[in-house]
Amino acid sequence: MVQKAERVVTNRSSRGKPVGNVTRGTTNPNRMRRLDRWLAGPQAWRLRRAADPLVVDLGYGASPATAVELFERLRAVRPDVRVCGIEIEPERVRAAKSLERPGLSFHNGGFELPVPGNPVFVRAFNVLRQYEEADVRGIWELVHGRLAPDGLFIDGTCDEIGRRSAWIALGPERPLSLTMSVRFGSFGLPSGIAERLPKALIHRNVPGERIYTLLQAMDRAWLESAPLAPFGNRQRWMAMCRALLDGGWPVQDGPSRWRLGELTVGWEAVAPG
């Protein structure tokens, strides 16, 4: 049962209750593949270096399918990885228990992360989108305070089948980057990703905000790359990314990621004013 949205009290766990609200929990298999590919790719060094390869899938939803997929994908990077799926709705946890195996477990809880240890990754996808924008900072602070020294908290959103995704990566002390990842052919203009921005940014796509300026710059570079259209959207996207980098945007990745329909920029480029 979905809980009526309430303001989040981040010290609620001190009274023995999970921190957060019961959300819709809708999900689909393979929905998180774009983020998982990023974690198992340019961010894999964090997991390989970790003394304790703990990963948390926070709010995995009514089906544990994406938590199982995360475990299988990260196990290719670190065979001894431990993935803990956390859900605030007890029935969802009970339904997932039959899928437990060495390295994969499911727990009842919320943003307080009721598991021992300091996670390398905490993935919360399509979760904070269902909360109040005013609660986001407090939730960020609560979660990234639990991270391992090189850990990441990933707050993201995607469409129903994972064609368009956007996520914020936060380190133990501050937000680090925004990544946008799209399937070629799933958009008319790059700014179409705006409807899938995380909660901290989705209401900021207005003149005067940095995220608006970035999306407009992406659209301009995309349109200026129209002569490359006969060679396919991949070449056109890569030209767009190159133009942004040349234009002074703090692009953090390179062609090997651009060709996947991915673009990562430093948080300073999009942080709300």
Side-chain angles (χ1 to χ4, degrees):
M1 181 178 180
V2 178
Q3 180 179 334
K4 182 180 179 181
E6 297 178 355
R7 294 299 306 277
V8 174
V9 180
T10 55
N11 64 355
R12 183 187 295 171
S13 60
S14 64
R15 301 197 298 272
K17 297 181 180 179
V19 176
N21 299 317
V22 178
T23 56
R24 292 188 298 274
T26 54
T27 189
N28 283 300
N30 216 28
R31 190 181 185 187
M32 314 302 179
R33 61 191 180 276
R34 293 186 172 275
L35 171 61
D36 292 355
R37 183 172 61 189
W38 187 75
L39 294 176
Q43 304 304 318
W45 66 270
R46 300 177 188 272
L47 193 58
R48 293 192 183 102
R49 180 181 294 181
D52 179 11
L54 172 63
V55 174
V56 170
D57 189 13
L58 180 58
Y60 57 82
S63 166
T66 53
V68 175
E69 291 167 352
L70 178 65
F71 171 65
E72 293 174 345
R73 288 163 179 161
L74 294 183
R75 190 167 56 171
V77 174
R78 180 79 186 252
D80 60 340
V81 67
R82 295 188 298 117
V83 173
C84 297
I86 295 177
E87 250 298 335
I88 200 167
E89 169 54 61
E91 185 55 40
R92 296 172 185 172
V93 179
R94 284 192 289 270
K97 283 291 185 179
S98 63
L99 297 174
E100 289 188 334
R101 66 194 78 167
L104 176 65
S105 59
F106 296 93
H107 309 265
N108 180 224
F111 295 110
E112 78 283 0
L113 306 186
V115 293
N118 300 108
V120 182
F121 299 135
V122 177
R123 181 180 77 176
F125 236 64
N126 303 304
V127 175
L128 272 73
R129 183 181 179 90
Q130 301 178 61
Y131 286 77
E132 296 289 335
E133 183 180 1
D135 290 332
V136 170
R137 285 285 174 175
I139 292 170
W140 281 3
E141 291 172 2
L142 180 62
V143 176
H144 69 54
R146 286 286 310 278
L147 293 173
D150 289 323
L152 290 179
F153 172 34
I154 301 97
D155 169 14
T157 305
C158 66
D159 67 6
E160 288 72 17
I161 57 175
R163 297 167 301 178
R164 290 178 289 173
S165 300
W167 59 86
I168 298 167
L170 301 100
E173 297 179 355
R174 62 183 180 85
L176 302 176
S177 62
L178 170 71
T179 298
M180 293 167 280
S181 181
V182 297
R183 179 180 177 180
F184 298 124
S186 70
F187 62 93
L189 289 171
S191 60
I193 194 67
E195 65 185 27
R196 297 298 169 180
L197 289 171
K199 190 71 174 188
L201 295 174
I202 193 168
H203 301 301
R204 303 288 181 158
N205 185 29
V206 294
E209 291 283 354
R210 296 183 181 96
I211 184 62
Y212 176 86
T213 304
L214 173 60
L215 292 176
Q216 293 301 302
M218 291 171 67
D219 281 354
R220 285 195 300 272
W222 176 260
L223 294 172
E224 290 169 359
S225 301
L228 292 174
F231 300 100
N233 285 331
R234 175 172 285 109
Q235 295 302 317
R236 192 173 176 183
W237 180 271
M238 293 177 70
M240 178 201 75
C241 293
R242 172 60 65 184
L244 292 171
L245 179 62
D246 292 345
W249 289 94
V251 176
Q252 293 188 352
D253 50 20
S256 66
R257 306 306 301 179
W258 302 344
R259 67 182 307 277
L260 301 174
E262 194 176 285
L263 174 67
T264 298
V265 297
W267 178 247
E268 67 274 14
V270 296

